[in-house]
Amino acid sequence: MKPADQVFVGIPGPELDKVSAEILAAHQPGGVILFKRNVVDEEQLNDLVTALRRLLPEAVLAIDSEGGRVDRLKDVVGPAPAASLLAKRAPSYSLQAGNWVAQSLRLFDLDVDFAPVVDLDRGLEDNALDGPYFGQTPKEIIPRAQAFLRGLHSGGAAGCLKHFPGLGGAGEDTHYHMSAVYLPAEELRPDLEPFAALSRLAGAVMVGHALYPAYDSSMRPATLSPEVIGGILRGRLGFGGLAFSDDMEMKALDAWGDLPERCELAFAAGCDVLLVCHTLEALPAIVERIAHPTLEERVAEANHRLDTYRQRLITLRTAREYVDFMRNNSQGERLERVRQTLAQLQESVG
C-alpha cells in the first residue's frame, strides 16, 4: 500500500473525463465516493463504475445512501425511507431498508454506504440533520441503526457510523460554517453510546468537523483532534477499526489551512482515510503531505486498518442473501425488484 490509499476522492461528473482519469491512474487513491452529480441513469452509472474499476482495480467505491434527503441513487432505484420515518417503526423496518439499500448499491458494484447516521436528535434545525435522525435517545437509535447495518451486511455492502463524536448538539451545518458543541462531557455521554454499541459491527466510523471544548480545550475540530480521535474514539471506546474523515473541503475547516495542510493535520490526528470530495486536482499535493517521513508510522497503521476493512468487503460479498439474489435474478430483474421493494417500504413507513 501507499499514502494515496488514505485518500478517497470525488470525481467531477457522470463520465470519467480525460484529466480525472490521468490523475486517478497516476496516483491510485484508495477509493472513490460518488455523488448525485455522478449519477444519471442505470446505463451511465454502470459505464462509470466499469471505467473506475478498470482504472482503479483495488479501489473502494462508496456513496451516501442514508435515505430521505441524502440519497444519491434515488433517481435510479427510487427513494429509500429516511431514518426519521424508520424511527417511528419497529427495527425490522430498518433491517429491510438496510438490506434493500445494499442491494441497490451492489447492483452497480458499489461497496460502501456512508450510513447509518447515529447522531442524537437534540431538537436543533440548522445542522443539516433534520431527516437522518433515528431518534432522540440511544435507546431509540441503537436498535434501528444496528438493524440498518445488519441489513446492509446481508445485502452485501458495508456501512459506516457517523458523525463521531455526535453532531446532534451542533447548531450550524458544518458544510458551510464551523459549529461548536458547548455541552459538558457528562451531557455528551449519550452521544457516544451508539458508537460504543455499534462501531465493532460497522468496522468504520466517520469523524465530524464540529468543535467539542469538553473534549479538546485547544478548540480543534474533531477531525483534527488527537484528543477526540485518540483519546475518545480509540482510548475510551477502544475502537480499532477504520476512521474516515468527513469531507475535508467543508467550510468548517477553512481556518485550518489549505486543503493539503488540513488533510495532513487530520491524518496526523488519527483519521485513517481522508475524504476529498470535490477538488481531485489537489490529490498529488495531499499525497505528498501524507508521505512525509514523520507520518510513516501513521501510514502503516492506517494501511493495516484499511486492509482489514477491505477484507470485510470481500466477506460481505459472500453473504448468502446477497449471493442468492444475484444468482437467481438478472440485472434488470434485480433493479425492478429493488425499485418495487423500496417503493413499498417508503409507502409503509411514510
Side-chain angles (χ1 to χ4, degrees):
M1 288 191 177
K2 54 200 178 305
D5 278 314
Q6 271 56 70
V7 188
F8 283 23
V9 297
I11 56 176
E15 298 178 355
L16 192 56
D17 63 276
K18 182 180 178 181
V19 173
S20 297
E22 289 174 349
I23 295 172
L24 295 175
H27 297 281
Q28 297 285 308
V32 176
I33 176 170
L34 300 182
F35 291 88
K36 195 174 186 303
R37 64 180 184 264
N38 306 122
V39 179
V40 177
D41 56 35
E42 178 189 4
E43 182 179 4
Q44 169 272 326
L45 185 54
N46 276 323
D47 289 345
L48 177 60
V49 171
T50 298
L52 289 169
R53 291 294 188 195
R54 187 180 300 120
L55 200 62
L56 304 171
E58 301 299 320
V60 174
L61 300 187
I63 199 165
D64 289 301
S65 192
E66 301 169 6
R69 184 170 49 81
V70 182
D71 189 359
R72 315 300 189 197
L73 291 176
K74 67 180 179 181
D75 291 341
V76 179
V77 302
S84 58
L85 296 177
L86 296 172
K88 302 173 184 177
R89 301 287 182 172
S92 58
Y93 286 85
S94 297
L95 180 71
Q96 293 178 59
N99 178 267
W100 288 100
V101 165
Q103 301 285 9
S104 69
L105 266 67
R106 298 304 300 142
L107 273 171
F108 302 102
D109 198 20
L110 304 178
D111 304 303
V112 176
D113 182 11
F114 283 130
V117 172
V118 294
D119 302 309
L120 272 62
D121 182 359
R122 290 182 173 272
L124 301 173
E125 298 180 353
D126 295 325
N127 57 10
L129 294 174
D130 50 308
Y133 288 122
F134 276 108
Q136 298 178 329
T137 68
K139 186 176 180 180
E140 294 170 315
I141 293 167
I142 290 171
R144 289 167 179 81
Q146 181 183 62
F148 188 88
L149 273 173
R150 292 195 184 283
L152 286 177
H153 294 171
S154 68
C160 176
L161 305 179
K162 61 187 188 184
H163 308 80
F164 189 82
L167 269 181
E172 293 81 30
D173 182 352
T174 53
H175 288 83
Y176 307 108
H177 309 280
M178 174 46 69
S179 186
V181 179
Y182 287 109
L183 297 172
E186 186 60 30
E187 291 186 36
L188 288 171
R189 241 184 187 174
D191 297 78
L192 296 177
E193 289 183 32
F195 295 100
L198 302 175
S199 58
R200 184 174 180 182
L201 175 64
V205 167
M206 182 181 291
V207 183
H209 295 318
L211 303 171
Y212 300 83
Y215 294 150
D216 187 343
S217 59
S218 66
M219 297 293 282
R220 286 172 293 192
T223 33
L224 311 186
S225 172
E227 284 78 8
V228 171
I229 302 172
I232 307 296
L233 181 61
R234 302 295 185 195
R236 186 189 304 182
L237 301 192
F239 179 60
L242 193 66
F244 286 94
S245 77
D246 208 339
D247 180 11
M248 294 302 297
E249 299 191 66
M250 288 184 183
K251 295 294 184 181
L253 298 183
D254 279 358
W256 279 268
D258 62 21
L259 184 54
E261 289 172 333
R262 67 179 75 157
C263 283
E264 181 181 0
L265 289 172
F267 187 69
C271 290
D272 301 308
V273 174
L274 309 167
L275 299 188
V276 179
C277 298
H278 301 278
T279 312
L280 179 59
E281 58 269 26
L283 180 59
I286 294 168
V287 172
E288 184 178 1
R289 287 274 188 164
I290 295 173
H292 195 278
T294 59
L295 293 174
E296 185 176 345
E297 189 173 325
R298 271 291 298 130
V299 169
E301 178 183 62
N303 278 340
H304 174 72
R305 291 181 181 138
L306 181 56
D307 184 59
T308 300
Y309 192 69
R310 281 174 165 154
Q311 291 302 311
R312 172 188 287 257
L313 300 181
I314 294 170
T315 301
L316 290 174
R317 290 173 201 146
T318 67
R320 181 176 177 180
E321 191 169 344
Y322 163 65
V323 171
D324 288 346
F325 186 61
M326 295 290 286
R327 180 187 295 128
N328 298 324
N329 299 276
S330 68
Q331 170 83 3
E333 289 170 337
R334 294 196 302 271
L335 177 57
E336 187 56 32
R337 179 77 185 280
V338 169
R339 284 172 172 165
Q340 289 178 358
T341 307
L342 286 176
Q344 291 166 1
L345 264 173
Q346 184 77 0
E347 184 177 355
S348 66
V349 302

